[in-house]
Amino acid sequence: MPPDAPPGPLRLLVFGAALRAESANTRLASLVARLVSDTGATVDLAAMRDFDMPLYDGDMETAEGVPDGALALRDRLEQSDAFVISSPEYNGSIPGVLKNAIDWVSRVQPQPFKTKHAMLVSASPSMVGGNRGLWALRVPLEHLGTRVYPDMFSLGNAYQAFAEDGTLADPGLQQRLTETVSAFLSLVEADVRYVCLERRWYEFLGDRTEAAITQRAEE
């Protein structure tokens, strides 16, 4: 690309982490994808079934390598500037199928989760909307170096929450989701388009140490 050429649109992978076709999280992922697309970004909308893979087994990995489903998820992560996961909450935590996918993809080098920005959303028939599962989901993603957006969105009473056109029936919730998506995309764009310094450091008041500056690793 010539140096004076304008940057292309942001590319986001959005997928629902439930296997059930009629899952509320599938619907929420579709709505987030629509909101992202409305900003002019390019959306890759995926379903968990797109990434079929066996349970993680170190012996299988040694004998056969990383399965095709995990490699497919790796490829689509690498082709995106950021990703959004709409995840259900199973027993107060992460769905096993999603944790298994993360475990498999974490075996690929270079690590595709590292330094990617991620936004987490959830939908649940419960009042808390699957929020406990999102807190659990942050742990493996942040451990792998993902920059998980602080503001998460959880949709309670999800079976009654959607209007016929796929938006949220509650205008206030619809506005909050729209604003959260917009703010997340602004952060991603700032990081992807306007990175001016490869080296960054943080100085605390009164700190005059000679500590080495931190460097953003992209390898």
Side-chain angles (χ1 to χ4, degrees), residues 107-136:
R107 303 297 298 168
V108 181
Q109 297 298 325
Q111 175 51 249
F113 288 112
K114 186 176 181 180
T115 74
K116 290 284 186 185
H117 285 279
M119 176 180 164
L120 305 182
V121 301
S122 62
S124 170
S126 73
M127 292 294 291
V128 296
N131 184 260
R132 294 168 299 184
L134 295 187
W135 282 107

Side-chain angles (χ1 to χ4, degrees), residues 66-133:
V66 178
D68 290 343
L71 293 176
L73 178 53
R74 182 275 311 271
D75 291 344
R76 290 167 81 167
L77 282 167
E78 288 186 341
Q79 293 163 10
S80 301
D81 295 312
F83 63 95
V84 180
I85 301 178
S86 181
S87 176
E89 175 186 293
Y90 289 174
N91 298 314
S93 190
I94 313 168
V97 65
L98 176 58
K99 180 59 166 59
N100 184 60
I102 293 172
D103 290 343
W104 267 118
V105 174
S106 73
R107 303 297 298 168
V108 181
Q109 297 298 325
Q111 175 51 249
F113 288 112
K114 186 176 181 180
T115 74
K116 290 284 186 185
H117 285 279
M119 176 180 164
L120 305 182
V121 301
S122 62
S124 170
S126 73
M127 292 294 291
V128 296
N131 184 260
R132 294 168 299 184

